[in-house]
Amino acid sequence: MKLLGMDTTGNTLSAAVSEDGRLLSEIYLDTGKKHSQTLMLAVDGALRAAGLKPGDMDAFAVAAGPGSFTGIRIGTAACAAMAHGAGKPVIAVNTLDALVENAGTGNDTVCAVMDARRGEVYTLAKCGGELVVGECAVPLITLLTELLPEGPAAFVGDAAERFQNKILEYRPDSLFLPQQFSLQRASSVCAVAARLYGQGALLRYDELEPHYLRESQAERLKKR
């Protein structure tokens, strides 16, 4: 089973190719350039490095959100277009699930935290693969003092870097992943997608939808 995965939900951008759970190639960019300018270059680079073409893929996977609204739209649109062109299914991966995947397997609590602005974080936490904090957008302090179970937790995501001092203030036993594993990676999108593929969680290209978790500022303003 060959998968092409991509993530455009944050400031970084990445594309990866895997086969039967083994990572073949990954292109990771943190250059500050617009995702619309670099995504297809990264996808082409990952495919070329693996010696494969879009038509060789069994499915196309994308981090469908939450995250940057613009980034999510770019990634899902590109994934749908490639799947349509190749006549293959798509797999929608939750960005937070993929971030937790960065920490690998184990029995420790891993908490994904992404800066959701307006004083909140997008978050999801698992312990030994079991969900302990369901996906939500909440104030960081609420997560640290009310939602997370007691005991050490490893934090991953851009909010883990940005608010490390605040996290340590409330939870001194917290752990943090090295920088190369702390942000979104398409290799983790592929890993989660491989499990979803086995579960039959496949979509047609026109069924893929962005997962925003909450309304954008533009949508909120329309309702006023």
Side-chain angles (χ1 to χ4, degrees):
M1 173 189 58
K2 299 181 182 69
L3 298 173
L4 171 67
M6 59 191 82
D7 190 304
T8 57
T9 60
N11 291 330
T12 61
L13 174 151
S14 54
V17 177
S18 70
E19 181 176 11
D20 297 330
R22 180 170 66 97
L23 180 65
L24 300 182
S25 64
E26 183 175 27
I27 304 294
Y28 178 91
L29 300 175
D30 189 7
T31 62
K33 293 183 179 179
K34 293 182 178 180
H35 292 347
S36 58
Q37 297 173 334
T38 55
L39 175 57
M40 296 316 297
L41 293 174
V43 166
D44 183 65
L47 286 168
R48 286 178 178 271
L52 297 169
K53 299 177 181 179
D56 296 323
M57 299 298 104
D58 292 293
F60 294 82
V62 64
S68 158
F69 291 87
T70 300
I72 291 170
R73 286 193 291 270
I74 291 170
T76 53
C79 183
M82 293 191 71
H84 185 205
K88 301 295 176 66
V90 299
I91 302 172
V93 172
N94 186 293
T95 311
L96 297 165
D97 271 327
L99 277 171
V100 169
E101 188 73 22
N102 285 8
T105 57
N107 296 319
D108 297 325
T109 298
V110 180
C111 182
V113 282
M114 298 174 64
D115 189 358
R117 313 298 181 189
R118 295 163 51 205
E120 294 186 339
V121 294
Y122 299 126
T123 188
L124 176 150
K126 293 184 178 181
C127 183
E130 298 296 323
L131 194 67
V132 293
V133 177
E135 179 192 42
C136 56
V138 295
L140 176 63
I141 305 306
T142 300
L143 169 66
L144 299 175
T145 61
E146 299 179 23
L147 300 182
L148 267 179
E150 295 183 1
F155 288 84
V156 59
D158 64 350
E161 291 186 338
R162 190 163 295 138
F163 304 120
Q164 181 172 339
N165 290 338
K166 180 64 66 175
I167 292 171
L168 288 170
E169 177 185 340
Y170 283 86
R171 300 182 71 100
D173 54 0
S174 297
L175 305 172
F176 299 88
L177 297 189
Q179 195 276 337
Q180 64 267 32
F181 299 113
S182 65
L183 300 177
Q184 295 95 308
R185 299 200 71 109
S187 51
S188 290
V189 172
C190 285
V192 175
R195 294 197 295 271
L196 293 173
Y197 187 98
Q199 298 167 11
L202 304 176
L203 303 171
R204 297 192 311 270
Y205 77 92
D206 55 354
E207 293 177 321
L208 178 62
E209 294 185 355
H211 176 56
Y212 296 127
L213 192 56
R214 73 180 187 194
E215 295 177 330
S216 68
Q217 182 177 2
E219 289 171 325
R220 293 192 303 273
L221 291 174
K222 284 182 180 179
K223 294 182 177 180
R224 290 182 179 179

